[in-house]
Amino acid sequence: MSPQAPEVPAPAPALASWPLPVGGDGPALPDVWPLPAADLSPVAGGDVAPLRPAFSAEAVVAAVAAGQGPRHRRPSTRTRRPALYLAAAFIGAAGIAGTVMATDSSPAVAQADEPVSVAEELGMVQAEQPAGADDATSRLQQMVASRAEREDAEAAAAQVQADADAAAVAAAAEAARPQAVLPVQGARLSSGFGYRWGTLHAGIDFAAPLGTPEYAAMDGVVVRAGAASGFGLAVYVQHANGDVTVYGHMQEILVEEGQVVRAGDTIALLGNQGQSTGPHLHFEVHLGGIDGLKVDPLPWLRDRGVQV
């Protein structure tokens, strides 16, 4: 017998003609992966079906580890190394994808999505103070407010005290002020109350130099001031009890009707106007009003503590 020729393994089918039926497990994996997405494989019945999607990394690793391929051909070292490299690439890509997915779901990525203040990063925004500092600030503000209130209260009390002191001084001065005075100081009584030459002289006369001040005998209100028959010029002052005092023959009047005067206020300057024989003040008292009974002024003044 002639020696038998060594069996030559059949070449692997081309990638484009590798049969991939639609559905099912299909034949063993080829040596070169992955298959081009655009390749089409003929199937029974003349139909053309698209290649199956890319296999998972685990399937590729399992196929390579098992050494699957065409049964009639031992994979060469040259064709196996690219498959191992391709499997490693798939494993690396899967690991990277898993890492990226884990990184995207990590809190660090979530924090990166949050807005970041440039001013805070540059230190331009003051850091929040601890709760203890807020408490201290609040207590300090309360102390300042309490001190301000206390100072205001002290100032108000001082003002009240000052007003009370001023009122006390005014009351003391009022108490010390005389209730009645002579209508002219340093004068001489030149004529008294009574009849003269058959006519009633209804007042008393005080002789003094021209321009001598004349005073209101008691507190009251000026009810008349100006020209008067027989007096030239005259002033009438009504007092709280209703009595009216009359001042005549003055040189100048210094008050006006409706003016309030107190005992001792200057109301006119002594003169010699009207029916007069020389500079003097003619002083009268009318009980109960201007048209009231005319009485002797000397007892009226004495009853009020004024001695003539």
Side-chain angles (χ1 to χ4, degrees), residues 122 155 194 222 299:
L122 297 179
V222 177

Side-chain angles (χ1 to χ4, degrees), residues 11-118:
L15 293 178
S17 61
W18 194 273
L20 290 176
V22 179
D25 295 332
L29 298 175
D31 291 342
V32 181
W33 298 93
L35 297 177
D39 290 345
L40 300 176
S41 299
V43 295
D47 295 331
V48 177
L51 295 178
R52 287 184 296 176
F55 296 96
S56 64
E58 291 80 358
V60 174
V61 172
V64 173
Q68 292 180 357
R71 297 179 181 272
H72 56 275
R73 181 177 180 271
R74 176 179 293 180
S76 64
T77 304
R78 179 178 299 178
T79 59
R80 183 174 299 178
R81 286 181 180 177
L84 292 176
Y85 294 156
L86 185 59
F90 269 103
I91 295 172
I96 292 174
T99 303
V100 171
M101 292 177 62
T103 304
D104 291 342
S105 61
S106 63
V109 174
Q111 294 178 358
D113 293 339
E114 298 178 356
V116 178
S117 173
V118 178

Side-chain angles (χ1 to χ4, degrees), residues 122-189:
L122 297 179
M124 298 173 63
V125 178
Q126 185 177 3
E128 295 183 359
Q129 296 182 353
D134 293 340
D135 295 341
T137 302
S138 177
R139 288 195 296 270
L140 180 59
Q141 292 175 351
Q142 293 176 0
M143 291 176 59
V144 172
S146 177
R147 177 178 298 177
E149 292 178 357
R150 184 168 61 254
E151 291 177 352
D152 292 343
E154 292 175 354
Q159 183 62 41
V160 171
Q161 184 63 43
D163 295 342
D165 294 342
V169 171
E174 181 66 19
R177 186 174 64 84
Q179 300 301 309
V181 299
L182 275 174
V184 61
Q185 300 292 329
R188 175 178 58 87
L189 183 60

